[in-house]
Amino acid sequence: QVQLVESGGGSVQVGGSLRLSCAASGSIFSINRMGWYRQAPGKQREFVARIASDGSTYYADSVKGRFTCSRDNAKNTVYLQMDSLKPEDTAVYYCKLSNGPHDYWGQGTQVTVSS
């Protein structure tokens, strides 16, 4: 059984910063990929960023240069540092773990950016 617990969402003004965390527990393979997706009201869930167990990262164009994805393999935790936030970043952010043949999702955490 794998569980993902997210934290760090909240409300912030335009230009502000937030840091999301996602801790995975259970049977985690040493080689895996963790990442972040988001879903705004009335829109489909979209990819934000991901990081492999070797530290390689990939970002959506909309967040490149503003968001930084990192991980602590010893803690099975992935982070998303979000800087220079914009109103269009407002969404529920979900953590995803690709672990062997299975994908697992966190419960989601709300991020609201107000002008």
Side-chain angles (χ1 to χ4, degrees):
Q1 187 78 7
V2 174
Q3 288 189 323
L4 301 177
V5 178
E6 302 168 16
S7 60
S11 297
V12 66
Q13 292 191 324
V14 170
S17 298
L18 283 173
R19 189 192 195 209
L20 306 182
S21 300
C22 173
S25 62
S27 299
I28 310 295
F29 291 109
S30 59
I31 299 176
N32 58 64
R33 192 164 63 193
M34 300 185 78
W36 296 92
Y37 287 71
R38 66 187 181 186
Q39 188 166 18
K43 295 188 177 181
Q44 289 187 332
R45 191 173 298 189
E46 65 175 6
F47 168 78
V48 175
R50 68 170 182 253
I51 184 166
S53 48
D54 65 0
S56 57
T57 54
Y58 185 75
Y59 297 93
D61 287 343
S62 58
V63 307
K64 205 172 292 184
R66 300 187 298 121
F67 290 10
T68 303
C69 189
S70 61
R71 63 187 290 166
D72 184 334
N73 288 336
K75 297 180 179 179
N76 286 321
T77 299
V78 63
Y79 306 97
L80 187 68
Q81 177 66 39
M82 304 184 293
D83 298 318
S84 302
L85 283 161
K86 305 176 181 180
E88 51 263 43
D89 295 318
T90 295
V92 177
Y93 283 70
Y94 296 90
C95 171
K96 177 184 175 183
L97 166 66
S98 296
N99 188 48
H102 303 294
D103 291 334
Y104 300 91
W105 292 90
Q107 80 282 3
T109 185
Q110 177 70 46
V111 171
T112 303
V113 185
S114 57
S115 55

